[in-house]
Amino acid sequence: MQGLDLLRFNLRLISRQRFRTLMVLLATAVGVAAVLLLTGLGEGARRFVLSEFALLGNDVLIVLPGRKETSGGLPPLTGEGARDLTLEDAEAINRLSGVKDVAPLVVGLTTVTAHGLNREQMVVGTTESFFNVRGLNVQQGQLLPKLDLQRPEPVCVIGTRVWKEIFAGRPVLGQWLRTGERRYRIIGVLEEKGVGLGTDMRDVVIVPVASAMQLFNTSGLFRLFIKLQHPSQVEQVTTRVEQLMQQRHGGELDITVITQDAVLGVFNNILQILTLAVGAIAAISLIVAGILIMNIMLISVSQRTSEIGLLKALGASAALIRLIFLSEALLLSLLGALLGIAIGFSLLWLGHSIWPEFPVAVPLWALFGALFLALFVAGLFAWLPASKAASLPPVLALRGETSDV
């Protein structure tokens, strides 16, 4: 039997057995779609996290209070440590060689009042350098003015969500926000930026760092962003910052300096492992599809004994009988896998259209791996029914009987 004849034979067979064909197609399609969907979401999460940290650029260092000694784990992203970072520390770091600018950060939640409306609001205290580090611009007004770090000023820049929900999108420049006993005059509205480094920049109020320290009654900083004069100076400046802080903090190195590459490397490894793990879990459904194929084909063998006997009577060898059943299983699995690929990509496209800020991408290894696994599982589980069909004695098969083989 030629390959084209075998294909036509199997296509005619699966078109006549519609219910059985539908069950196998659905089982395989669900398994393949699950693999693509979960690995696509995992890869999308990896790309999203990496793109968030990549926004900083490779010429920015982040200084956090607290020390992380182990090299394999994540740095203390909460910004909590035994000794506070201070504005004096920021000024001292800004004088180091290789440092272009320093942006201190104070973050807190407070109730903001305007036009009789109260709203729980994140307030970020920083300097004009922070906007350059984070790539932020305003769509109205201006950024924070250049001030001495120790000088509070009752001005603020607000995110677009704050503008729309408190001021209903009306002209807002020059108006006032109140929090407690303090008032801040709005001088700018940020461009629509979305979530970055865990902070929704649409939902913040940005004030000068000294004003935020007065507001939250604190002398410690959440973290420091250091802008380098050149990306090649990362190691040298990191060493200088650690040495300076050790001198200023009584000989104790109680800060952590992290770079974009370090953060990206850790997150990349973690998210790749998670993507592989969820892909492997989804692949279990393909095993279930393989078991279904085996059961359906065992039933098919018992129903087609006369056909098998006729083929053997016409001279078909056991190898050819086995090939007929295996090729049928592989063809069904291939069609189911293609259907699953279409379903998986459609669901990912639908998700991306609903949440366009979240990237989705199926790794090539997941696509080809799911296709190969679907075919491999089908061939593996179809081997027993195919071998049983090939071993049927011709006489018994012609009579429509089965043996104990």
Side-chain angles (χ1 to χ4, degrees):
M1 184 178 290
Q2 300 295 323
L4 187 58
D5 295 329
L6 186 62
L7 177 62
R8 290 173 179 170
F9 181 84
N10 285 325
L11 287 174
R12 189 179 301 114
L13 179 65
I14 62 178
S15 64
R16 291 176 179 174
Q17 303 288 337
R18 295 177 183 177
F19 181 76
R20 185 188 68 178
T21 300
L22 180 62
M23 291 297 99
V24 174
L25 289 180
L26 286 179
T28 307
V30 168
V32 171
V35 172
L36 297 185
L37 186 60
L38 291 180
T39 54
L41 291 175
E43 178 67 12
R46 187 184 73 86
R47 294 189 180 188
F48 178 78
V49 171
L50 297 187
S51 65
E52 288 297 303
F53 282 95
L55 291 174
L56 291 176
N58 57 1
D59 60 346
V60 175
L61 301 177
I62 307 174
V63 182
L64 305 128
R67 185 66 182 169
K68 182 71 174 179
E69 297 292 348
T70 57
S71 59
L74 288 172
L77 297 179
T78 58
E80 298 177 354
R83 189 189 299 262
D84 288 335
L85 285 171
T86 65
L87 290 178
E88 290 76 14
D89 291 333
E91 291 173 332
I93 291 174
N94 200 26
R95 293 191 290 267
L96 289 175
S97 174
V99 174
K100 184 177 181 180
D101 213 343
V102 173
L105 213 64
V106 174
V107 179
L109 286 174
T110 186
T111 301
V112 169
T113 304
H115 291 283
L117 299 176
N118 295 328
R119 193 171 192 270
E120 190 74 13
Q121 190 62 57
M122 175 178 288
V123 176
V124 176
T126 186
T127 66
E128 81 288 347
S129 302
F130 177 72
F131 297 89
N132 181 39
V133 171
R134 288 295 310 276
L136 300 174
N137 293 297
V138 290
Q139 58 175 295
Q140 299 180 36
Q142 66 182 58
L143 302 174
L144 291 181
K146 187 174 181 63
L147 300 170
D148 183 88
L149 289 182
Q150 306 285 348
R151 176 186 168 187
E153 189 75 17
V155 295
C156 69
V157 176
I158 63 174
T160 54
R161 185 173 294 167
V162 181
W163 172 45
K164 293 175 182 176
E165 294 188 4
I166 294 184
F167 297 95
R170 296 188 297 267
V172 72
L173 299 182
Q175 298 197 41
W176 294 83
L177 281 176
R178 176 182 291 277
T179 172
E181 298 180 354
R182 302 185 183 278
R183 297 199 310 160
Y184 300 94
R185 183 170 56 87
I186 300 172
I187 62 173
V189 178
L190 290 174
E191 287 183 347
E192 190 83 14
K193 193 69 176 178
V195 179
L197 296 178
T199 302
D200 190 347
M201 301 310 298
R202 299 168 299 184
D203 200 20
V204 296
V205 173
I206 304 178
V207 301
V209 63
S211 300
M213 297 180 84
Q214 288 183 349
L215 175 64
F216 298 115
N217 191 26
T218 180
S219 60
L221 300 175
F222 177 64
R223 66 186 60 180
L224 285 171
F225 290 99
I226 302 175
K227 185 80 170 178
L228 306 181
Q229 293 179 354
H230 194 275
S232 62
Q233 298 175 304
V234 168
E235 293 184 4
Q236 299 93 314
V237 174
T238 298
T239 302
R240 292 169 192 158
V241 169
E242 290 179 343
Q243 291 175 347
L244 175 64
M245 290 297 98
Q246 191 169 9
Q247 294 173 4
R248 292 182 58 84
H249 292 185
E252 182 181 358
L253 184 57
D254 56 1
I255 63 163
T256 299
V257 182
I258 61 176
T259 65
Q260 172 187 284
D261 291 341
V263 175
L264 293 183
V266 172
F267 276 109
N268 185 52
N269 292 337
I270 292 175
L271 292 172
Q272 279 185 338
I273 293 173
L274 288 177
T275 301
L276 287 171
V278 296
I281 293 172
I284 295 175
S285 58
L286 287 174
I287 306 296
V288 177
I291 296 174
L292 176 63
I293 290 173
M294 181 178 68
N295 290 333
I296 288 178
M297 292 198 66
L298 283 171
I299 296 173
S300 177
V301 169
S302 64
Q303 293 175 342
R304 296 166 59 189
T305 52
S306 298
E307 176 188 334
I308 295 169
L310 180 60
L311 288 173
K312 287 194 171 184
L314 293 175
S317 63
L320 180 58
I321 300 297
R322 185 182 295 109
L323 178 61
I324 290 174
F325 279 86
L326 284 176
S327 61
E328 178 189 348
L330 291 175
L331 180 59
L332 284 172
S333 181
L334 177 61
L335 294 175
L338 294 177
L339 178 61
I341 290 172
I343 294 173
F345 276 101
S346 297
L347 291 175
L348 289 173
W349 175 83
L350 178 62
H352 183 64
S353 64
I354 298 175
W355 299 285
E357 65 275 6
F358 186 83
V360 289
V362 177
L364 285 178
W365 61 262
L367 177 60
F368 290 109
L371 184 59
F372 171 79
L373 185 59
L375 295 176
F376 175 78
V377 167
L380 180 65
F381 282 91
W383 183 264
L384 176 61
S387 298
K388 182 176 181 180
S391 62
L392 286 177
V395 176
L396 291 179
L398 277 172
R399 293 175 181 173
E401 303 175 4
T402 58
S403 66
D404 297 331
V405 179

